[in-house]
Amino acid sequence: MFSKLLLALSLPLLLASATSAQSSTAVLRPTAAPPTAPALMDVAVSDSSTTYLVFGGPVSLVDVGMANNYLVKIEANAVFVRARRKSAPPTPILIRYGSKYWMGRLVYVNRPVLQLYDFQKDGALSVSSGTSEGTAAGAAPENELALDKEREKKAAVEGKLSQLRKTREEHQAVAVVDNDLVLSLANVRNDKDFTYLRFKVINHSAIDYNVDFTDFQLVENAHKKFLARKKNEARRPLAPSGGLANQVVTGRTTGYLTYAIPLYAATDRGYLEVTLRELNGARVLVLPVPSRVINRASTI
């Protein structure tokens, strides 16, 4: 009788002890470490040369974190990148090619890079420095504007640009002079989809001017308010849909550049900022084209 009573009193204590041991075991069980995100690949970018990224499919999207610090151009399966200014801060870049995505980081370096980042071979990276051989690894991809995928529309755009090249100059007053170079607006026309622009470049220097990037930005709210306080300035990049890329104006000559950009409507407080950047050089030309000049342009 006494042993049964003792067993009845000790049973709750044994159960509590077992529960406590299980709890201790659960607390001491090691937890799995959280997975770490892979480090982004750094892509060297300079303000005096162009970096090329080539992928195994057509590029349909490029998203740069700090877009105002870098110039980006898409041509078929290639992406051309250049810094807008010296010491641009690092920023992530996301690229969609075919049905795949690639993400890296743009990092400014204070020297010409002239590098080709080749992702075409099984998704692996092949990096080469530019050389003097035309077909060597590191040379720029074939340079053809492929921003407009519709063949018929592209042919129509190029046809109108051809007409514009034969037109007499009309806007010599819209011009900028710098580093023995003159950049002026020669002609402008509009249709229901595009604005067509023809620029005149006079090269008074003895060195050829090789146009690597032509950057277009719609700038709004650029005027100053009362007491010289500036309103918030808005900038929107406009990718060219037609025209020749990497045009050269040889020394002591005059050349013409023609482009088509998406049609837009600007207010009297806005203008189109056109920037020419030189390949392997630092002679940058920036031409503001007043909105009234484009808004009042004839149709083509």
Side-chain angles (χ1 to χ4, degrees):
M1 181 68 179
F2 177 74
S3 60
K4 291 182 179 180
L5 179 61
L6 183 60
L7 179 61
L9 292 175
S10 61
L11 186 59
L13 295 176
L14 292 173
L15 292 175
S17 177
T19 303
S20 177
Q22 291 178 357
S23 300
S24 299
T25 303
V27 171
L28 295 176
R29 183 180 301 162
T31 58
T36 58
L40 297 180
M41 175 183 296
D42 287 348
V43 175
V45 181
S46 170
D47 66 324
S48 60
S49 60
T50 303
T51 298
Y52 307 94
L53 296 86
V54 183
F55 296 88
V59 176
S60 56
L61 170 69
V62 177
D63 185 19
V64 177
M66 297 181 182
N68 289 335
N69 291 322
Y70 295 91
L71 288 165
V72 176
K73 181 166 64 175
I74 301 173
E75 295 191 7
N77 65 328
V79 178
F80 296 2
V81 185
R82 177 182 278 202
R84 292 181 184 271
R85 59 182 180 84
K86 293 185 179 297
S87 302
T91 188
I93 179 173
L94 175 68
I95 297 174
R96 182 175 65 202
Y97 62 100
S99 60
K100 300 179 181 179
Y101 288 86
W102 177 88
M103 191 170 185
R105 191 176 69 144
L106 301 180
V107 179
Y108 177 85
V109 293
N110 192 22
R111 57 179 173 78
V113 288
L114 291 178
Q115 283 189 338
L116 168 62
Y117 289 75
D118 190 349
F119 296 93
Q120 296 181 95
K121 188 176 180 181
D122 301 326
L125 171 64
S126 173
V127 181
S128 302
S129 297
T131 67
S132 58
E133 299 179 16
T135 59
E142 185 178 356
N143 196 357
E144 296 179 358
L145 283 175
L147 302 178
D148 193 327
K149 305 303 181 184
E150 300 179 31
R151 292 185 178 181
E152 293 183 2
K153 181 176 289 187
K154 185 175 180 63
V157 168
E158 294 299 336
K160 292 182 179 180
L161 287 176
S162 180
Q163 295 180 35
L164 197 64
R165 296 184 188 106
K166 303 174 183 178
T167 307
R168 182 176 56 86
E169 296 178 33
E170 301 166 324
H171 298 285
Q172 294 89 345
V174 182
V176 62
V177 181
D178 196 8
N179 293 312
D180 292 327
L181 297 165
V182 180
L183 172 63
S184 63
L185 176 67
N187 307 94
V188 57
R189 294 288 187 274
N190 294 317
D191 66 12
K192 62 183 182 66
D193 296 314
F194 298 99
T195 293
Y196 302 86
L197 300 159
R198 181 174 178 237
F199 300 100
K200 180 179 181 180
V201 180
I202 305 176
N203 187 356
H204 291 298
S205 73
I207 302 173
D208 295 351
Y209 190 80
N210 189 343
V211 181
D212 186 32
F213 269 95
T214 306
D215 183 42
F216 299 90
Q217 288 202 40
L218 174 60
V219 183
E220 283 285 1
N221 295 334
H223 296 181
K224 294 181 179 179
K225 296 199 305 180
F226 182 62
L227 296 179
R229 292 184 178 179
K230 199 171 185 179
K231 299 177 68 176
N232 291 331
E233 184 179 279
R235 288 177 171 265
R236 181 164 66 90
L238 298 170
S241 300
L244 299 177
N246 282 20
Q247 302 176 71
V248 180
V249 181
T250 57
R252 313 294 187 189
T253 65
T254 298
Y256 291 87
L257 312 174
T258 53
Y259 299 96
I261 62 174
L263 183 68
Y264 69 91
T267 67
D268 291 338
R269 305 180 70 86
Y271 62 90
L272 177 67
E273 184 178 277
V274 183
T275 304
L276 298 189
R277 295 184 180 271
E278 184 180 20
L279 180 67
N280 303 332
R283 295 179 294 177
V284 179
L285 295 171
V286 181
L287 176 66
V289 180
S291 60
R292 65 179 182 275
V293 174
I294 297 177
N295 292 343
R296 299 173 185 174
S298 303
T299 58
I300 188 171

